[in-house]
Each structure stands twice: as C-alpha cells, then as structure tokens.
Amino acid sequence: MNLFVNAFENFPEVEISSFLPETILASANENNWSWDDGDILVVAQKIVSKSENRLVNLLDVKPGNQAIKYGKSTGKDARLVELILRESKKVIRTRNGLMIVQHNLGFICANAGIDHSNVKGLDHDPENWVLLLPLDPDKSASIIRDFIKNETGKNIGVLIIDSHGRPWRKGIVGVTIGVSGVPALIDRRGYKDRFGYQLRVTEIGAADELAAAASILMGQADEGRPVVVIRGFPYPLRESYTNELFRSENDDLFR
C-alpha cells in the first residue's frame, strides 16, 4: 500500500471574499488532477482565512488595559495582543515575544494563530495587516468538500491545516484545525499487534499525520503551494470534528 501526496503547482493568489472551492477546482483542472473517491484534500489555513476576509489592519485596533499590560511584559505590539486576547479563551503562558493561549476554537497555540507572513493587506502594504484563523474551520472544510462532490461526483475528505509548534520539541509542523469527512482520530484500542498483544492505549492522530505530510510540500515561505491532495489513506473516511483531537484540561498533566 502506498500513500501518494501531490501539491497543486502555480496556485493563484487568493483574493478577499473569493469563493475558494471554485478556485481549488480550477487549479485541480489546470494540474490535470482526476479526482477519486477517498482522496483527501489538504488546504492551508491562510488561503481559507483570506477567502473569508479575516484580514485585520492593526491601525484599526485599539488595545485595552489588559492588552497594554501583556504588551509591556512580552514586548509585543499591544494592538496585536488585543487581537490575540479577542481570539482566545485563556492565556496559558507568556514570555518575551510569545503568548501561548487556548484559542476560541479550543486548541492551544502560539499567538492565537494570528499570522503576519504572506499577508499583503487590502492596500498592498503588508506592514500593518495580520490574518486571523477562520471562524469555523470545520464548516469551511465542509463547504469545500460539498462543492467538489457536487461538481465531480466524488466523495473526498477535506482538511484545513496550520503550522504549530510543540511542547518539548523544536520546529513547527502541520496540524489540522478543520476537518470534514476524514477521521480526525483513529482508535486502535482492542486491536492486536503482530505478536498477539492487545493494544490498550493506541489512538492515532490521523488528521495531524496527514497535515504534517501535506505541510512538507506546502512549505513555509514563497513556495506558493497551499493545496495538496493525498491518495491512499489506509482507513475508511467518516464524519468527524477537529475537537476529537483536543485533550481535555482534566486529562492534561501539565496545565
């Protein structure tokens, strides 16, 4: 069994409030991609956020007292901190230049996932523009999936991914923040290994494994490959939600 990972080349710049599923399908056609049932489409968060007009100009942001306080202690722009606080349920940890928060979507990440790279802004001046995460990435993934199924007749899965750091390890990796039609988590407890031992704790973060594979091809700088298709996923597709991947605070030994 093989896993095939393919990036769409020459993907066009996504404009604000454009209909992203249509752009993705057009790019698939230009890359001579023929859809099959079971394909998994992996989409970078950034182009989803752009298409959903999640751009914010820092010049329009007025920081509150809490944002000013965190801005002083972290050395971050208080206007950016204000956006981080708005996008977060809870501040977990801070240090100079960094805020670790629980995002409104439920996961733990740095700076609420707010991004400054590859954001040109509405006035083509990248200096003061930042990009927020989609409001509901699971819903965004479902919209893309439904459109492609309606246009091609193929039942696929869709992941929306972002790059996150990890505790105790250096480097960022692709992780899933939105899912439709792909098992986010695969429970292998009760299955036997090659020697007959019954697995007791094994749960596979399949959506994150796929996200990491796709992220290798997407890149992090000027590669311009925000859409990847994966073929050969060895498990059945099913409906799921990203929050299947989140560890509850009661089960977290370190919070």
Side-chain angles (χ1 to χ4, degrees):
M1 180 177 291
N2 296 313
L3 194 72
F4 178 70
V5 186
N6 178 67
F8 291 169
E9 299 288 349
N10 302 314
F11 198 87
E13 184 68 28
V14 173
E15 301 299 330
I16 299 302
S17 300
S18 60
F19 187 54
L20 183 58
E22 201 167 63
T23 307
I24 291 172
L25 193 59
S27 180
N29 292 335
E30 290 177 6
N31 280 267
N32 298 312
W33 180 259
S34 180
W35 299 94
D36 277 351
D37 288 326
D39 285 349
I40 296 175
L41 176 69
V42 187
V43 184
Q45 160 270 321
K46 190 162 292 180
I47 64 171
V48 177
S49 291
K50 286 180 180 178
S51 72
E52 296 178 359
N53 195 15
R54 295 287 284 159
L55 273 172
V56 177
N57 191 325
L58 293 177
L59 296 176
D60 297 329
V61 178
K62 182 178 180 179
N65 292 334
Q66 190 178 22
I68 294 172
K69 180 181 177 181
Y70 275 121
K72 290 179 179 178
S73 65
T74 63
K76 299 179 73 64
D77 188 323
R79 300 169 301 173
L80 177 60
V81 174
E82 176 65 29
L83 292 177
I84 292 172
L85 295 177
R86 292 179 191 177
E87 292 288 296
S88 304
K89 292 181 178 181
K90 183 186 299 185
V91 177
I92 307 298
R93 293 285 188 277
T94 66
R95 66 161 171 77
N96 186 48
L98 180 66
M99 297 180 68
I100 303 297
V101 300
Q102 182 181 25
H103 194 277
N104 290 332
L105 293 168
F107 48 78
I108 308 297
C109 66
N111 303 322
I114 297 175
D115 206 347
H116 194 81
S117 63
N118 285 314
V119 179
K120 68 179 180 180
L122 297 178
D123 54 8
H124 299 280
D125 177 13
E127 186 62 33
N128 291 301
W129 291 90
V130 294
L131 195 63
L132 312 184
L133 296 184
L135 285 172
D136 187 347
D138 284 351
K139 181 178 179 181
S140 302
S142 292
I143 291 172
I144 296 170
R145 179 186 174 210
D146 290 344
F147 179 83
I148 291 178
K149 183 175 182 179
N150 288 337
E151 294 295 315
T152 68
K154 302 299 182 180
N155 183 36
I156 69 166
V158 176
L159 300 177
I160 295 172
I161 72 170
D162 196 9
S163 298
H164 285 190
R166 300 154 296 157
W168 306 292
R169 298 180 77 90
K170 291 183 178 181
I172 56 175
V173 298
V175 300
T176 293
I177 66 167
V179 60
S180 179
V182 181
L185 196 69
I186 294 174
D187 190 349
R188 300 295 284 176
R189 292 173 295 182
Y191 287 79
K192 292 183 178 180
D193 69 9
R194 294 174 59 190
F195 303 102
Y197 175 76
Q198 184 169 299
L199 303 178
R200 298 178 182 178
V201 296
T202 303
E203 292 180 292
I204 302 168
D208 282 346
E209 290 187 323
L210 292 166
S215 185
I216 289 289
L217 291 186
M218 287 182 180
Q220 300 293 332
D222 64 351
E223 293 85 357
R225 295 191 295 266
V227 175
V228 169
V229 182
I230 298 177
R231 180 170 291 171
F233 183 59
Y235 301 99
L237 298 187
R238 66 168 174 85
E239 296 297 340
S240 70
Y241 300 93
T242 310
N243 61 15
E244 291 180 19
L245 294 165
F246 305 159
R247 192 185 304 280
S248 70
E249 191 165 351
N250 289 336
D251 293 331
D252 190 336
L253 298 179
F254 302 96
R255 264 194 288 172

